[in-house]
Amino acid sequence: MLLSLSYLYILNCPKLQLPCLPSVKKLHVRECSNEQLKSISNLNGLNDLELHGSDQVLCFPEGMRDNMTSLATLEIYSFRELKELPSDITKLTALSDLTISDCRKLECLPEQGWEGLSSLRKLSILYCDSLGSLPDGVRHLTSLQSLIIGACPMLKERCKQGTGED
């Protein structure tokens, strides 16, 4: 059943639990729930994961990133109540592209483990109104080719030439 399914798009089905689907390489989920996020770890062949949140998700569940050893692209959009990213996001060693957008209450990124993201080439942070700084560990992203920061007023102030702390 569904042995050759490689792309899965789920729209507003927050109660849908994902079974083990090893052939799925690309997953897009819109209006997801914590329960659904937990079941994503069943998709151990994922290369590309795009998550569009809901206001009910306050944090990502533990173990969600288990088995995601081949994840290259992670896009996180519209988790408007999310205050922090889990620290184990830095264990996604194959990750080359990370986008975080419209997470208005996101206050911080993980402090530790950035050196583990040795494949990360592109980091985009957009519309994160409450994000006050980048962790020092970002300096360890030796493969980073593109850093895009936009519509993050607190970060903009810190990075202002001549007057900002950074």
Side-chain angles (χ1 to χ4, degrees):
M1 170 176 120
L2 304 175
L3 296 176
S4 61
L5 182 68
S6 63
Y7 174 68
L8 181 58
Y9 183 95
I10 300 170
L11 174 62
N12 201 14
C13 300
K15 294 185 180 188
L16 178 67
Q17 296 290 311
L18 299 169
C20 181
L21 297 168
S23 62
V24 173
K25 302 295 181 207
K26 190 172 190 175
L27 173 66
H28 290 185
V29 184
R30 297 183 73 89
E31 296 299 320
C32 52
S33 65
N34 266 335
E35 295 78 28
Q36 200 166 51
L37 288 172
K38 243 180 246 180
S39 69
I40 287 174
S41 67
N42 290 331
L43 306 176
N44 56 6
L46 278 180
N47 293 340
D48 186 329
L49 176 59
E50 183 175 321
L51 300 172
H52 289 259
S54 71
D55 294 341
Q56 278 83 49
V57 176
L58 305 177
C59 63
F60 287 131
E62 288 298 317
M64 182 188 119
R65 288 142 314 275
D66 292 351
N67 304 321
M68 291 193 185
T69 56
S70 58
L71 191 67
T73 301
L74 175 60
E75 298 171 73
I76 301 169
Y77 296 101
S78 303
F79 285 87
R80 294 193 180 110
E81 298 300 317
L82 187 70
K83 291 190 177 186
E84 64 182 12
L85 291 179
S87 60
D88 65 352
I89 199 169
T90 60
K91 294 180 181 162
L92 298 172
T93 57
L95 200 63
S96 62
D97 187 345
L98 174 60
T99 299
I100 303 163
S101 181
D102 196 21
C103 296
R104 306 278 178 174
K105 292 187 180 177
L106 184 68
E107 296 172 351
C108 62
L109 298 175
E111 280 297 325
Q112 307 295 319
W114 289 91
E115 61 279 354
L117 294 177
S118 58
S119 299
L120 194 66
R121 293 191 324 263
K122 182 180 177 189
L123 175 60
S124 303
I125 303 170
L126 306 162
Y127 302 100
C128 295
D129 300 346
S130 300
L131 187 60
S133 64
L134 295 177
D136 286 336
V138 170
R139 299 170 202 258
H140 298 291
L141 297 174
T142 56
S143 296
L144 194 66
Q145 297 171 356
S146 174
L147 175 62
I148 300 168
I149 299 173
C152 300
M154 292 177 71
L155 277 180
K156 180 181 177 183
E157 199 58 37
R158 283 186 66 102
C159 297
K160 196 176 262 186
Q161 190 171 5
T163 59
E165 294 176 50
D166 295 329

